Amino acid sequence: METIEVRFADLRRAAEQVTAFVEKQLGCEAEYGLRTGVEEDMGSAGLDTEQLLCEFSEQFRVDVSKFDFTGFISPEGFQDGGTPLWIILGLFFLAVYVIAWTTKFLIGAIYWPFNPKAATSFINEPIGNPFHSTPAPPRKSQHDILTIGDFVASAAAGYFVKRERVRFVFI
């Protein structure tokens, strides 16, 4: 853990200025804390977050050149596995699923007068879900989330740093 010496008044002023800057850039008016995620809680993503970082580094003179942002910024648009081809295939399978369910229901309805119990069990038997095996995207850990506190710590340090990786000593 790195130690950074800073005056309390400078850190407080940085917190106020950075919070106002982020709220202005992202169009948010609500109160946020230092643990508020820029993407997760404030709705920024992809290129918007990159642009926010660039403007932040210019306005607060923070060096971001040596920090690896891999895993901290969400991909933009279709880059997260939802390519247009997968969307089209998903819609195709959805249409097939609806047709299969409708056909199954109609066959059960036709068979109902002859054997209601068998028709009911036929209709209630699941068709199967082709989307069931799709894993949910992994949630980011707290260490992989850019927070307002990270921006405040970086403004105080002069270079980009994760808040959890530094310790401030007041002088």
Side-chain angles (χ1 to χ4, degrees), residues 13-77:
R13 183 174 40 255
E16 291 170 355
Q17 291 175 348
V18 167
T19 303
F21 169 79
V22 172
E23 287 178 353
K24 179 183 174 192
Q25 293 298 318
L26 298 180
C28 299
E29 302 271 337
E31 296 259 338
Y32 293 98
L34 295 178
R35 294 183 184 211
T36 301
V38 173
E39 289 189 340
E40 288 72 12
D41 300 323
M42 299 182 83
S44 178
L47 294 175
D48 295 335
T49 306
E50 288 183 33
Q51 182 180 1
L52 176 70
L53 280 168
C54 290
E55 292 176 9
F56 168 77
S57 68
E58 289 176 13
Q59 182 166 339
F60 291 94
R61 294 184 204 104
V62 174
D63 180 23
V64 295
S65 63
K66 295 181 182 176
F67 192 82
D68 182 19
F69 288 97
T70 306
F72 290 100
I73 299 176
S74 300
E76 187 77 27

Side-chain angles (χ1 to χ4, degrees), residues 84-121:
L85 175 63
W86 288 113
I87 292 173
I88 292 169
L89 286 174
L91 291 173
F92 172 74
F93 281 116
L94 182 63
V96 169
Y97 186 77
V98 168
I99 291 169
W101 187 87
T102 305
T103 304
K104 184 177 179 178
F105 181 77
L106 290 175
I107 291 171
I110 292 170
Y111 191 60
W112 179 270
F114 304 106
N115 190 347
K117 189 174 183 179
T120 303
S121 67

Side-chain angles (χ1 to χ4, degrees), residues 147-166:
T147 64
I148 292 179
D150 297 334
F151 284 88
V152 171
S154 301
Y159 54 93
F160 199 87
V161 64
K162 286 290 290 170
R163 184 175 56 93
E164 295 89 13
R165 298 179 188 160
V166 295

